[in-house]
Amino acid sequence: HIYPHQKARTLASRGYSVGVLDVDICGPSAPRMLGVAGREVHRSGSGWSPVYANPNLAVMSISFLLPDADAAVVWRGPRKNGMIKQFLTETDWNGTDGLDYLIVDTPPGTSDEHISTVQFLSKIEGGVSGAVVVTTPEEVSMADVRKELNFCKKTKVRVVGIVENMAGLQMKVEDLKFLRVPIKEIEMATDDNESMEQDENDNSKKGATVDCTQEVLDILRAKCPEVLLWWLPPMYFHPQVAVHVK
């Protein structure tokens, strides 16, 4: 999500008229990333009036239509499609002057939002100029990106490039968060090798994820303190590592 908003600001700073359309219906983030969260859009005779992050950077998102920031959007495909079509056809982007660039911020995957956006834009002159695919170094993220690239190939959308966010990010092991995976029974070995069965009120038996970060860090400090000083890139650890401590 970092790239499209940075690109929009950069283009706007160079004098171009830029629009950012957030079609992540269930998880809109563009308003917060561009500093316009909590604002409202208004409807006029010429259509929806977008929110302006600066005089030549307009933003449109379903976030502006929700009663509060935590409101959930529970919509099926047809309703999502209708909302995206409205955004694309009824938003008054910069009045009669139009836009130099329209950047569409989509959610991960190849869902209704992507299909609808490509279908609607392909009907107008010029269509889709191209797609910029954004990823992070983890294999989980790259697996989604490969699907995105196949989607672009099938829909004949030119891939302009791939941006890898957080490519140089490294984290200390001591800064990671460790979570105990919920299972029916967990026995923790004590220092004298005696097992202690967890009681009936233990959250892990009820399917809850238990934060055991301090417990794991204490073990590492006692057994191999040098590991705590290791710096590792995210391809080795996600910031929230789920572990099963026995």
Side-chain angles (χ1 to χ4, degrees), residues 90-107:
E90 299 179 21
T91 301
D92 183 19
W93 298 106
N94 199 28
T96 57
D97 295 331
L99 296 173
D100 296 312
Y101 293 94
L102 174 63
I103 297 175
V104 182
D105 184 8
T106 63

Side-chain angles (χ1 to χ4, degrees), residues 148-204:
E148 292 273 7
L149 294 174
N150 284 326
F151 172 85
C152 291
K153 183 177 180 180
K154 289 182 178 180
T155 55
K156 296 181 173 57
V157 174
R158 182 172 66 98
V159 176
V160 177
I162 299 177
V163 175
E164 186 179 54
N165 284 334
M166 298 186 289
L169 176 66
Q170 292 188 337
M171 297 183 66
K172 272 189 176 181
V173 172
E174 63 180 355
D175 292 330
L176 297 172
K177 183 175 182 179
F178 295 85
L179 305 175
R180 180 178 293 122
V181 178
I183 58 175
K184 292 183 179 179
E185 293 183 1
I186 298 179
E187 290 185 351
M188 296 179 58
T190 59
D191 290 339
D192 56 358
N193 294 325
E194 292 181 358
S195 295
M196 179 178 65
E197 186 172 336
Q198 295 182 327
D199 61 42
E200 295 179 356
N201 294 324
D202 192 286
N203 286 332
S204 60

